[in-house]
Amino acid sequence: MAMAHATVMRPLVHFGVLVSIVTGVALGMVAYRAASGTGLLANRLVDEAIRQIKANYVEEVADEQLANDALRGILGGLDRHSRYLDKDAFESLQADADGWFGGIGVELALADGYFTIAATLDDSPATQAGLLPGDRITSIDGTSLKGKRLKWVVKSLRGPPSTEVNLRVKRGGERFGLDLTRALIAAPSVRWRWLEAGYAYVRIVRFNKRTNGDFQGALATLAAERPIAGLVLDVRGNTGGILPASVDIAGALLDGGVVATMRSRPPTPAQAYRAPPGDALNGAPVVLLIDRKAASASEIVAGALKDHGRAILLGETSFGKGTVQSLVPLSGAQGLKLTTGHYFTPSGNSIHDAGIEPDVAANPADTEALLAQALKLLKR
């Protein structure tokens, strides 16, 4: 999702210019009226329908439920990327954009039917408690994880800092319990390493407010060890994030020029996002790895680097999400994720529902072969 602050970019999120359109909700319709200012007949029909539901439906329905259902219906009639966010969803999306959240500091994967710790973050409650990659979490606060979805597990592990969570863990043949105190966690957005002398690998996991600083820090750390002769930039599986972060990453590798153009509803003029002068790699070659899950903010980077001839794209055609969403706060700590624009690559192309084709097609799932091919392209 590409969000302008709070503009969200993911098939599940673009955050960049916080748009505050709606300030109140009454039975779900104040939002509609504030945004439209017209449609009196429609307003009367909705009011009449709500009165009929409250008076005659077989069961009593709370006003809050009617409001939430009304908002879901309104947003559901737009495009597939606009949706109503209840308090938990709104807070979660804001945390994703900020790059900070309350939690224990683990990355999870589903392995053999178990929610398995893939990695623990440095100095996190999980690391301090001795949790290890490969540990399987079997219950949270007494609730078995059998049949649970990853979204539920993540939500249960997260929470306000200083609150406690109890885990049951399976490690080999051993089972044990742990009480952990949640802390403020910085969501890692960038990982890096050397592939071989002079050739660096940087993977962007998500685009949030921390991503540009993490990316610049990665390049600085690598360059301090030895000159960077070439870079493999990996956005496979990255479904998006905030718009400014994608503009910053593309801009760091371009020496000026347009990164993307966003067009909103007339009469709002089109807005061009530009790269600053100066290339962080001084022209060293770049290969960008993409796959069908790379979307939104990832595609802004891919489209900019491809159109400017700055990188060779290796992998498969990307997802094809060319719309921009904004986070719109509502009263009660709720909000909307609302599509507010379309973005175009520097050459003026829309990639919506089409994606970005790689320069060189390859199987993105075979990481070892893909990296070997990327190195050959860089050296050539």
Side-chain angles (χ1 to χ4, degrees):
M1 117 181 129
M3 295 194 297
H5 177 63
T7 299
V8 185
M9 293 191 79
R10 256 184 234 187
L12 63 91
V13 284
H14 171 129
F15 306 18
V17 179
L18 185 59
V19 180
S20 183
I21 298 175
V22 184
T23 59
V25 182
L27 296 180
M29 294 317 302
V30 171
Y32 170 79
R33 292 167 184 161
S36 68
T38 58
L40 296 179
L41 176 59
N43 289 344
R44 287 198 298 270
L45 287 172
V46 172
D47 287 341
E48 182 180 355
I50 289 175
R51 286 197 302 271
Q52 291 292 340
I53 292 169
K54 289 181 66 64
N56 299 308
Y57 184 63
V58 66
E59 297 175 2
E60 186 175 346
V61 184
D63 287 353
E64 182 178 1
Q65 181 180 337
L66 283 173
N68 292 346
D69 290 345
L71 284 170
R72 288 189 181 96
I74 293 171
L75 274 293
L78 303 178
D79 66 299
R80 69 181 184 273
H81 301 300
S82 295
R83 62 188 177 97
Y84 163 67
L85 305 169
D86 61 21
K87 182 179 179 180
D88 289 342
F90 190 64
E91 288 178 351
S92 177
L93 203 53
Q94 286 181 311
D96 286 343
D98 291 338
W100 296 90
F101 62 90
I104 64 170
V106 296
E107 295 182 10
L108 294 178
L110 191 61
D112 299 326
Y114 287 92
F115 290 100
T116 304
I117 296 176
T120 60
L121 305 184
D122 293 341
D123 300 321
S124 67
T127 300
Q128 294 167 6
L131 287 172
L132 300 172
D135 286 348
R136 297 174 169 183
I137 302 175
T138 59
S139 75
I140 299 175
D141 289 333
T143 300
S144 171
L145 301 192
K146 187 175 182 179
K148 297 295 185 182
R149 294 182 177 272
L150 179 61
K151 182 178 180 180
W152 185 93
V153 176
V154 170
K155 180 181 177 181
S156 299
L157 291 176
R158 290 188 180 186
S162 300
T163 59
E164 290 194 352
V165 59
N166 174 267
L167 306 182
R168 292 292 301 174
V169 179
K170 183 178 185 295
R171 178 183 295 168
E174 180 186 5
R175 295 176 184 270
F176 55 91
L178 284 175
D179 290 316
L180 292 85
T181 301
R182 297 181 179 94
L184 191 62
I185 304 294
S189 63
V190 173
R191 299 189 179 96
W192 70 92
R193 61 186 173 93
W194 290 107
L195 294 175
E196 61 179 57
Y199 293 94
Y201 169 86
V202 175
R203 177 174 176 79
I204 300 179
V205 180
R206 56 183 61 84
F207 289 91
N208 58 37
K209 292 179 183 178
R210 296 171 47 84
T211 303
N212 185 45
D214 290 348
F215 181 68
Q216 298 288 354
L219 294 184
T221 299
L222 291 163
E225 296 177 5
R226 60 175 68 92
I228 299 175
L231 172 68
V232 177
L233 184 62
D234 190 352
V235 295
R236 289 175 301 163
N238 186 329
T239 55
I242 67 173
L243 175 61
S246 63
V247 172
D248 288 339
I249 298 303
L253 300 174
L254 296 172
D255 186 8
V258 173
V259 172
T261 301
M262 187 173 76
R263 299 176 189 170
S264 302
R265 189 169 71 184
T268 303
Q271 181 176 3
Y273 295 89
R274 297 181 177 275
D279 174 352
L281 294 180
N282 297 314
V286 177
V287 170
L288 180 72
L289 307 183
I290 60 170
D291 64 3
R292 70 185 65 182
K293 294 182 180 179
S296 198
S298 294
E299 292 174 299
I300 285 181
V301 174
L305 298 184
K306 181 176 183 177
D307 281 8
H308 285 286
R310 182 63 184 89
I312 296 174
L313 273 56
L314 175 64
E316 64 183 355
T317 301
S318 62
F319 181 86
K321 180 178 179 294
T323 58
V324 173
Q325 286 71 46
S326 295
L327 283 183
V328 182
L330 303 176
S331 61
Q334 302 166 99
L336 309 177
K337 186 175 70 138
L338 190 66
T339 297
T340 53
H342 293 265
Y343 76 82
F344 298 82
T345 69
S347 61
N349 295 325
S350 170
I351 57 90
H352 197 58
D353 292 334
I356 298 175
E357 294 184 2
D359 298 300
V360 180
N363 177 11
D366 189 344
T367 297
E368 185 175 345
L370 199 67
L371 292 177
Q373 189 170 359
L375 279 171
K376 289 181 180 179
L377 291 170
L378 288 175
K379 293 175 181 180
R380 213 161 53 195

